[in-house]
Amino acid sequence: GGFNTIVNSTTGSIFDSTGATIYGGSSQTTASLTSTGLALISNGVTGSLISQDTASMFGSSDKHERTEMVGDGLKIYQNNVQVSSFGDTIRVGRKDESHQTITSTQTQFLDGDGSTVRLQITNDGIIDLRDSGGNVKVQADTTGVKVLADNTTTFGLFNGTGITLVDNNVTGSLITATTSSMFGASNADRTEVTQEGLKVYESNHQVASFGNTIRVGRADESHQTISATTTQFLDGDGSTVRLNISN
């Protein structure tokens, strides 16, 4: 048994033990409530379906274009493939292709393989730009920027200290606000450009300087000095002049 409403010989609704159906002017446009859920149908095509676990809205008769609201959040499908999802993790794009993900801690942009991270931005202010292998090539944070070469031990660092160039974990150059340095095998062998001129160090001893006065040799050993007025050759004690040539 059941209950039907009929207006002008047209069925408007049907209520029976299986559920309820309300017609919207034709038998092809209905709202149907059954044990499986609520279905809204227009011209024979299901537009919406609400069940215990899922609320769906369809954009095509084959239901391949749809949105789904489930316990995990909102999912969007095109050609029956999930192209976006919105929940604890937001994903825009197919997960097996290039896409973007957003979580409570970071944002990632992934490569065409769907797994290689090419750009990552974390909440603590760290930005990583990566190559096709997922290796970090540029890293920026609140302290500065690090640009990496073919490995993690060769890089350029730009921060509050200045510019540091490192090759295989050996510092090659350091540029600060007051000094530009180039290093040899270690920091003990270097050249420095300061406001006073150019200085050359070997084993951490200054062996030459080029400024208003030019000195070749250690100041505490035999050396030569050249100034605007004289040229001098000094003895091994570094202070006794052995030859003086004036202008």
Side-chain angles (χ1 to χ4, degrees):
F3 175 75
N4 296 351
T5 62
I6 301 174
V7 179
N8 294 329
S9 300
T10 301
T11 301
S13 59
I14 298 176
F15 298 87
D16 57 26
S17 61
T18 62
T21 302
I22 300 174
Y23 294 90
S26 75
S27 61
Q28 297 295 306
T29 301
T30 62
S32 178
L33 181 61
T34 66
S35 60
T36 59
L38 172 64
L40 302 179
I41 300 172
S42 177
N43 292 324
V45 177
T46 300
S48 299
L49 178 61
I50 302 174
S51 67
Q52 177 180 350
D53 300 317
T54 305
S56 302
M57 294 183 65
F58 303 100
S60 62
S61 59
D62 58 11
K63 302 180 182 179
H64 288 177
E65 284 67 48
R66 65 187 185 276
T67 62
E68 292 181 354
M69 183 65 72
V70 296
D72 297 334
L74 174 66
K75 300 179 181 181
I76 300 175
Y77 292 80
Q78 182 182 33
N79 294 326
N80 218 28
V81 177
Q82 191 182 116
V83 294
S84 294
S85 62
F86 300 84
D88 289 337
T89 297
I90 297 173
R91 173 174 53 81
V92 179
R94 290 178 50 160
K95 64 181 180 180
D96 59 344
E97 296 180 352
S98 298
H99 64 274
Q100 176 186 359
T101 63
I102 303 172
T103 70
S104 59
T105 59
Q106 65 184 14
T107 298
Q108 291 183 330
F109 295 82
L110 290 90
D111 208 345
D113 60 7
S115 60
T116 302
V117 177
R118 297 302 296 268
L119 176 63
Q120 176 174 285
I121 305 171
T122 62
N123 286 358
D124 55 5
I126 298 177
I127 301 173
D128 291 342
L129 181 62
R130 309 184 183 191
D131 63 14
S132 58
N135 303 301
V136 176
K137 289 301 177 183
V138 180
Q139 185 176 76
D141 58 25
T142 55
T143 64
V145 178
K146 188 177 186 179
V147 181
L148 293 96
D150 58 339
N151 55 60
T152 58
T153 61
T154 300
F155 56 86
L157 181 61
F158 305 81
N159 56 24
T161 300
I163 301 173
T164 305
L165 302 180
V166 179
D167 182 31
N168 292 323
N169 279 333
V170 177
T171 300
S173 299
L174 175 61
I175 302 173
T176 69
T178 57
T179 305
S180 296
S181 303
M182 293 185 64
F183 303 98
S186 70
N187 293 353
D189 303 310
R190 65 188 184 276
T191 61
E192 292 182 355
V193 179
T194 68
Q195 62 180 2
E196 297 171 350
L198 173 66
K199 300 176 182 179
V200 181
Y201 292 82
E202 182 183 17
S203 299
N204 232 22
H205 296 287
Q206 192 182 114
V207 296
S209 62
F210 301 84
N212 289 332
T213 297
I214 297 173
R215 176 172 53 79
V216 179
R218 288 178 52 164
D220 58 348
E221 295 179 353
S222 298
H223 62 276
Q224 175 188 359
T225 63
I226 303 172
S227 68
T229 57
T230 61
T231 297
Q232 292 183 331
F233 294 82
L234 291 90
D235 208 346
D237 60 7
S239 59
T240 303
V241 177
R242 300 301 296 270
L243 176 62
N244 187 83
I245 304 171
S246 63
N247 287 356

